């Protein structure tokens, strides 16, 4: 895919799917501006790193101003920053802990989309891709915080798509299944958990970040111009047998 001359902002760019998206975009000609609470670890002449939290509105505003000063445009935004939940029943969860998960996973995508869409709107051009999850619609116990944050991402995606449709900006989400990343490494490094997970996936394997980055690339490209407001599952078929 040709992303020559395009500028794409990727959050969560220092690990997992965000890092893979950043690298795939760079390898296909884009300039990438990565945001992460951690230091940048993508090595490329066309990569700029902005360290801080996606819910730190002042940092996001200042950083997006710098991006406009340097590049004058943003063609795409990938909201991949996220955290796993507290892994306990909702009735044992502190409200502050519940709010922290929604804050990073949902409010973070809102804040980033707000500032980046203001750059895209005057150009009447842009793509926003949010990373949701199979846990937006298929649940297990002990994940009320994470599931609520991802269900909200799916709704936010469709609602933002309507607001931005008149400006030729498409907004879609990708719902990954079980992907081997920094978030899940500890689980999938356990052979028992890995085997149990593989048995639930029709394709028979846990995904890798590139499995998701390639779908994100499609949604950032002109090939998806007639798609907006959707949540695309990329889960090796996990959801079709639930
Ligand atoms: N790994 C999976 O199986 C899986 C499945 C479905 C959905 N997801 C979602 O995919 C997205 C990417 O997760 P991943 O699996 O690549 O995890 P990861 O932990 O490898 O990467 C997440 C990145 O987000 C960054 N981050 C966390 N909080 C942040 C904040 N407040 N501001 C800026 N950056 C922040 C982290 O530092 C990290 O670099 C997340 O939204 C996650 O919920 C993951």
């Amino acid at each position: 895919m040709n992303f020559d001359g395009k500028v794409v902002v990727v959050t969560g760019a220092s690990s997992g799917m965000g890092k893979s998206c950043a690298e795939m975009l760079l390898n296909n000609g884009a300039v990438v501006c990565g945001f992460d609470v951690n230091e940048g670890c993508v090595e490329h002449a066309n990569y700029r790193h902005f360290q801080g939290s996606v819910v730190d509105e002042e940092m996001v505003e200042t950083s997006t101003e710098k991006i406009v000063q340097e590049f004058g445009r943003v063609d795409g935004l990938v909201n991949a920053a996220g955290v796993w939940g507290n892994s306990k029943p909702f009735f044992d969860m502190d409200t502050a802990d519940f709010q922290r998960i929604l804050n990073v996973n949902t409010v973070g995508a809102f804040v980033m989309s707000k500032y980046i869409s203001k750059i895209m709107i005057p150009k009447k051009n842009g793509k926003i891709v949010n990373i949701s999850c199979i846990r937006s619609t298929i649940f297990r116990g002990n994940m009320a915080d994470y599931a609520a944050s991802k269900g909200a991402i799916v709704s936010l995606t469709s609602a933002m798509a309507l607001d931005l449709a008149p400006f030729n900006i498409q907004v879609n989400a990708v719902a990954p299944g079980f992907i081997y990343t920094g978030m899940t490494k500890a689980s999938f490094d356990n052979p028992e958990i890995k085997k149990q997970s593989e048995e639930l996936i029709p394709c028979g394997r846990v995904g890798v970040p590139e499995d998701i980055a390639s779908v994100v690339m499609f949604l950032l490209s002109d090939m998806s111009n007639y798609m907006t407001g959707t949540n695309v599952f990329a889960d090796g078929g996990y959801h079709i047998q639930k």
Side-chain angles (χ1 to χ4, degrees):
M1 274 180 191
N2 186 356
F3 281 81
D4 286 353
K6 296 205 171 181
V7 178
V8 183
V9 171
V10 179
T11 74
S14 295
S15 179
M17 294 176 223
K19 182 167 185 246
S20 180
C21 288
E23 289 172 342
M24 214 177 269
L25 283 159
L26 289 160
N27 290 337
N28 283 274
V31 165
V32 175
C33 300
F35 284 66
D36 204 291
V37 274
N38 289 332
E39 282 179 11
C41 56
V42 175
E43 302 285 341
H44 197 286
N46 289 336
Y47 181 75
R48 304 283 182 280
H49 192 74
F50 297 87
Q51 186 171 358
S53 173
V54 287
V55 293
D56 178 347
E57 197 153 354
E58 208 178 305
M59 186 284 283
V60 171
E61 188 171 16
T62 312
S63 303
T64 51
E65 279 166 11
K66 284 185 189 154
I67 292 169
V68 173
Q69 274 164 22
E70 185 171 0
F71 302 110
R73 59 188 290 151
V74 174
D75 302 280
L77 166 66
V78 183
N79 283 309
V83 288
W84 180 240
N86 293 287
S87 298
K88 52 173 79 163
F90 82 92
F91 47 79
D92 286 335
M93 217 179 279
D94 288 344
T95 304
D97 288 339
F98 180 85
Q99 284 171 329
R100 183 177 61 83
I101 306 305
L102 267 83
N103 209 27
V104 176
N105 290 359
T106 314
V107 179
F110 160 78
V111 171
M112 289 300 303
S113 302
K114 178 171 135 178
Y115 285 94
I116 298 297
S117 62
K118 283 181 181 165
I119 303 168
M120 292 172 170
I121 284 169
K123 308 261 184 205
K124 294 224 163 147
N125 170 64
K127 308 271 188 192
I128 298 176
V129 182
N130 296 321
I131 304 298
S132 62
C133 185
I134 48 171
R135 301 306 175 199
S136 57
T137 52
I138 304 163
F139 312 114
R140 289 178 313 188
N142 300 334
M143 55 170 62
D145 46 2
Y146 186 78
S149 75
K150 293 301 184 177
I153 277 288
V154 175
S155 305
L156 182 68
T157 298
S158 300
M160 290 196 312
L162 282 179
D163 287 350
L164 291 173
F167 306 103
N168 187 34
I169 299 165
Q170 290 79 44
V171 188
N172 292 289
V174 179
F178 299 167
I179 313 296
Y180 185 83
T181 66
M183 187 179 284
T184 55
K185 187 178 185 315
S187 298
F188 295 134
D189 280 346
N190 177 329
E192 191 59 31
I193 294 178
K194 184 166 180 267
K195 184 167 171 290
Q196 283 168 5
S197 304
E198 286 167 348
E199 283 167 5
L200 296 170
I201 305 166
C203 287
R205 67 174 175 87
V206 168
V208 291
E210 292 72 25
D211 289 320
I212 305 307
S214 52
V215 180
V216 171
M217 294 287 282
F218 165 70
L219 292 172
L220 288 172
S221 78
D222 291 343
M223 294 179 77
S224 62
N225 281 352
Y226 202 54
M227 291 175 69
T228 198
T230 60
N231 184 35
V232 180
F233 283 77
D235 62 353
Y238 177 83
H239 76 286
I240 55 178
Q241 59 177 7
K242 293 286 125 187

